[in-house]
Amino acid sequence: VLLNTGVFCALVFSSPSAASPSFFSPFKGPLSGAAGGGFTYARSRVRMVLKTTLCRFSGLRIWPGRGMLFIRTDNQQYLFLNKKCKSLYHNRLRPAKLAWTTTYRKAHKKDQVAEVARKKRRTAGKATVRAIVGANLEVINKKRMEKPEVRMAGRGGQGTRICCLGRVERFVSIAVKGS
């Protein structure tokens, strides 16, 4: 129910017998405080949502009905909080040098509490296995999955060709015992 005062009122039952058929009798109105039951008003204020914009110079909020609009010759719009911000902009002052602006506060790390809450964590990039000169990806993955005993048995002869990840492929001569 909306009263003419602009205050929102909710209707609440005062007793369980209020929903009975006698409640709607012509002799008892719904707002009469009779013992048979009735409604009571629970008042609550309705909050209006106001759209705010930011000042192009100071970074402060501009509430409805405030602010000055400056339109440049290239049709770019600048909304300033007040004449002070507008005149400082036209005098080419940098907002990062004025202590009361938000750009100054960001540059000098004055709002650390809000800054810490917005930090995002970076995920560490995984090293990807890529093919190198002389060995394609299948050969590299096959050699990585080999057991150490199999790998050592394959290197038994002299001049065995091996391939190392991240290095240039080369020939290695392995000295065999008894030669």
Side-chain angles (χ1 to χ4, degrees), residues 45-114:
R45 288 257 172 214
V46 176
R47 288 213 157 165
M48 205 165 83
V49 178
L50 298 174
K51 185 181 176 193
T52 59
T53 54
L54 293 178
C55 175
R56 287 285 289 260
F57 184 79
S58 65
L60 300 172
R61 285 195 290 183
I62 303 173
W63 295 92
R66 300 277 174 159
M68 301 177 83
L69 184 65
F70 168 67
I71 302 174
R72 247 178 12 190
T73 53
D74 61 348
N75 288 337
Q76 187 153 3
Q77 296 183 358
Y78 288 86
L79 192 62
F80 297 112
L81 179 64
N82 49 21
K83 188 177 179 181
K84 175 184 175 181
C85 294
K86 185 179 174 204
S87 64
L88 289 172
Y89 171 78
H90 287 304
N91 289 334
R92 299 180 190 273
L93 263 71
R94 287 184 53 215
K97 293 199 171 194
L98 298 172
W100 54 272
T101 59
T102 55
T103 51
Y104 176 90
R105 296 188 69 80
K106 283 180 186 173
H108 293 87
K109 297 180 179 161
K110 299 290 183 185
D111 299 324
Q112 286 291 341
V113 178

